[in-house]
Amino acid sequence: MKLRIILFFLITILCSAIFISACKNNDVPGDNVPYNPTYINLEVPAGWPTPPDIYVNNKLTEEGFQLGKKLFYDGRLSKDGNFPCASCHQQFAAFATYDHDFSHGFNNTFTTRNAPGLFNLAWMTKLHWDGGINHIEVQPLAPITAQNEMAETVENVLNKLKADGDYPRMFQSAFGTTEINSQKLLKALAQFMGTIVSSNAKYDKVKRGEASFTAPEQNGYNLFKAKCETCHKEPLFTDNSFRNNGMAVNTFLNDYGRMRISNDKNDSLKFKVPSLRNVILTFPYMHDGRFYSIGQAIDHYRTGIITTQPTLDPLLINRIAITNTEKNDLIYFLQTLTDTTMTRSPRFAQ
Amino acid sequence: MNRTLLILLFSTGLFLLSCQKSPDEDLRTGTVKITFKNTVKGNPLVLNTGVYSNSFGEQYNVAKFKYYISNVVMNGTQISAGSSEYYLVDEGNAASLSFSFTAKSQIYSSLSFLLGVDSARNVSGAQTGALDPLNDMFWTWNSGYIMAKLEGTSPQSTVVNNKVEYHIGGFAGTNSVLKNINLTVPSSINVPLNVDPDKTCEIFIEADLDTWWQGAYDLKIAVNPAATHPGALAKNISDNYSNMFKITDVKLY
């Protein structure tokens, strides 16, 4: 009798085990390579605002970052192979195009705006000078397909990547399968670009108590806080808003900025306030690169602002009074915003 | 021994049951299939070669006709994971004219969907499937989906090569073109939206693209040959095309 009871229990347990396993979903067959990514975090420097979570649907991994970096430097994202993202976004120029008002695109074309530096993008609510891009992931679609930039189709890019010896494996380690599609391409690029953080300029060291300003730098900083801070707000040196700082419309481009996106006359000639971090490296200045030197850019605020424009920012209707000495001190201060840790970091280099 | 066997059977039976969803009758499901028939005033749309004229006597042909359908609900409630998918209906791709999803078995009285892609998906980064930018329904310079697209030519068009080009989008503010479409079975069709267990209820929906030019607004091709960015014109066209759908047939099988 005892034996029977034991047998009975054994059989029941066996049966239930079989049924329970039948209940479970079968595991989706992968590519038979274990997916063990190394999760990483976006570095948020002390005292900075919390950025919007651009990675909520795109978990940051070391593998995703490395894949994004490879893509960023890969000419195959362009039609003739000559125009990787990095051709216009050069690390030593804080990822702007060094010394160019307009950058060179496919087939001897020029971009129609000045290429901005790429850093601290995770804090940027809207991308491009007119804010037309609403998420970092979809930004690369613009340069890849623009005839005066990379002039390629996303479809061709994907085909080139699929035929490559390394990419399928890299997509696998970043996203779990060797499948290559536009979404993964874009997410990988976002992992690279969005984690380029510039937060180690002399200015940051002073803020952290690791260095101190010279007297002219300190004077420049005080002036900056009095005259520029509202728009070029610390610590990002932009408030992410769109404003008209009083420049004549470029009659060749007829670029009215934000108005093209919002269809609102009140947005005529408004452009995104650019960050002034690394500003010494990102010359020439403004959306069309019209000012070659930082001195010229400051002179614009002193004497160049067209005060009759209806959409001119109210802060600028009397222009900004800056003496010659003050101008020099401002420049000394702006020089403390150059972050060579970022511009020389092997992590962001090809 | 007999009793042991009985208990054994009973217990395995229990385990089997515990695997299944509760045997409640209401949880049985059938299939809803939605089939779109794109027409011009009820006549089948023939891409490229078909020549049509709108109520202003303006002639046109159509090369591309596509639109997004999403957030399908019946009787005002979400039906299944499949019904909350995003579908791109493209006259140039026969397979895209129908889609199916499962639904709880019952008789439904109405069918609603969003014509377009809800605002959340316009601002959440790279998407895939029907929302893949490869489908040529995403603006690269002004992030957002083209909710509906009509391209062709007309002798009345004043733009290059007599093009007619409507890329209708914009998901925010007063110029949002997102349209909630609510459809009921007209009384002339004597078939209920009856989803029987393990059967299919196929709903045929006609989309009359001629509505794009009139309805809420008179929009002549001669005046508006193109609408390629969000704004008031796109909004007006969407007000017109929000009337393009009607249920023309229901088949149960």
Side-chain angles (χ1 to χ4, degrees), chain A residues 33-79:
Chain A
V33 186
Y35 175 53
N36 282 322
T38 310
Y39 292 103
I40 57 174
N41 288 313
L42 172 69
E43 172 214 339
V44 178
W48 284 30
T50 312
D53 191 1
I54 55 168
Y55 295 116
V56 64
N57 297 315
N58 184 17
K59 202 103 192 55
L60 276 174
T61 63
E62 183 58 25
E63 292 79 1
F65 171 90
Q66 293 298 340
L67 172 60
K69 177 159 105 177
K70 185 174 161 78
L71 291 163
F72 189 86
Y73 285 100
D74 193 336
R76 282 173 294 181
L77 268 65
S78 69
K79 184 166 183 156

Side-chain angles (χ1 to χ4, degrees), chain A residues 112-114 126 128-132 231-232 238-250 253-261 266-274 286-290 301 309 311 313:
Chain A
T112 52
R113 284 186 182 144
N114 179 252
K126 299 239 158 61
H128 282 190
W129 284 101
D130 56 16
C231 305
H232 299 284
T238 168
D239 68 349
N240 279 331
S241 67
F242 300 90
R243 302 183 189 241
N244 175 357
N245 73 346
M247 296 187 301
V249 66
N250 178 324
L253 299 165
N254 285 314
D255 187 346
Y256 289 87
R258 184 70 184 154
M259 187 171 77
R260 177 168 85 137
I261 303 303
N266 298 318
D267 285 340
S268 174
L269 293 173
K270 291 187 183 171
F271 291 86
K272 192 172 65 184
V273 177
M286 308 297 168
H287 66 271
D288 58 357
R290 70 178 65 186
Y301 290 99
Q309 286 172 347
T311 59
D313 198 280

